[in-house]
Amino acid sequence: MPLKQTFLLLTGTTPLIGASVVWLGGFFENNYQKQQITKSNVENTTALLKSVASGRVRQLANESTGLTRNSDLLKLLKEPETSAIRDAALPTFNRLNASELLDQMIIADKSGQIMFNAPENAGQLIKDSLIKKVLQEKKTFSDFVRFSDGNAGVMYAFPLYRRGKLSGVA
């Protein structure tokens, strides 16, 4: 190949190779920036949701005394009569639901059997996770979760005591 053709080939392909390298670098940098923005947005949204959720958990903790001081409910948890438990727990659920502090409420006895469930279709996820955890460790738990319908929410569960003995979980 003559020298002139080799020189033309090199001077023609070198800018093309350089432009390709610059384009690929920009492409990868753009992808990296998009990933970082997405990650930052997810972290910020999660932090905001956790902040809002922690405020709700504090409000629920303050309102939980409606159940912990309901002596009729605590006595009834020993009996298998769920309609009486429903009558005792429903006013508390209605009050908390009307104040938009909760959408669902489940009360289980000390064996983990659900004795009250409002609304009727509430809480397979709650039953399977937090009730067992509260019964085993005998302390309050809250968790930020995504429910099966795709909505995010906060689960809050605490032990119910009567005269210092565990009666159930709400």
Side-chain angles (χ1 to χ4, degrees):
M1 196 186 245
L3 184 61
K4 188 176 182 181
Q5 286 179 339
T6 305
F7 180 73
L8 286 175
L9 183 66
L10 285 175
T11 56
T13 57
T14 301
L16 288 175
I17 292 171
S20 298
V21 167
V22 168
W23 180 81
L24 282 173
F27 175 77
F28 288 125
E29 177 63 25
N30 190 23
N31 264 355
Y32 178 75
Q33 286 177 353
K34 285 181 183 178
Q35 288 174 349
Q36 291 302 313
I37 289 170
T38 302
K39 182 180 177 183
S40 175
N41 286 343
V42 167
E43 288 172 351
N44 290 340
T45 302
T46 301
L48 176 64
L49 289 173
K50 284 186 178 183
S51 173
V52 169
S54 69
R56 289 288 193 176
V57 166
R58 281 192 300 275
Q59 287 177 313
L60 270 173
N62 291 336
E63 294 293 331
S64 67
T65 58
L67 290 173
T68 58
R69 293 185 181 162
N70 188 337
S71 61
D72 293 336
L73 173 67
L74 297 174
K75 286 178 195 173
L76 290 169
L77 281 173
K78 290 184 174 181
E79 303 169 15
E81 181 57 43
T82 57
S83 64
I85 292 173
R86 182 168 186 73
D87 292 342
L90 197 56
T92 302
F93 170 73
N94 288 337
R95 183 174 49 82
L96 294 175
N97 187 272
S99 65
E100 296 182 356
L101 278 177
L102 56 81
D103 297 322
Q104 302 174 357
M105 186 166 78
I106 295 173
I107 297 175
D109 65 6
K110 62 183 176 184
S111 69
Q113 180 181 351
I114 292 180
M115 304 302 281
F116 174 78
N117 193 1
E120 291 296 327
N121 60 350
Q124 186 65 33
L125 182 61
I126 294 170
K127 176 187 162 202
D128 290 343
S129 60
L130 284 186
I131 289 177
K132 291 178 184 175
K133 197 172 184 179
V134 170
L135 285 172
Q136 288 172 352
E137 299 188 27
K138 295 181 176 92
K139 63 182 186 177
T140 301
F141 287 97
S142 62
D143 198 6
F144 185 74
V145 296
R146 185 165 301 277
F147 294 101
S148 58
D149 63 0
N151 291 325
V154 176
M155 293 191 312
Y156 179 71
F158 56 93
L160 295 170
Y161 289 99
R162 181 169 186 260
R163 296 184 180 163
K165 294 184 180 180
L166 184 65
S167 295
V169 176

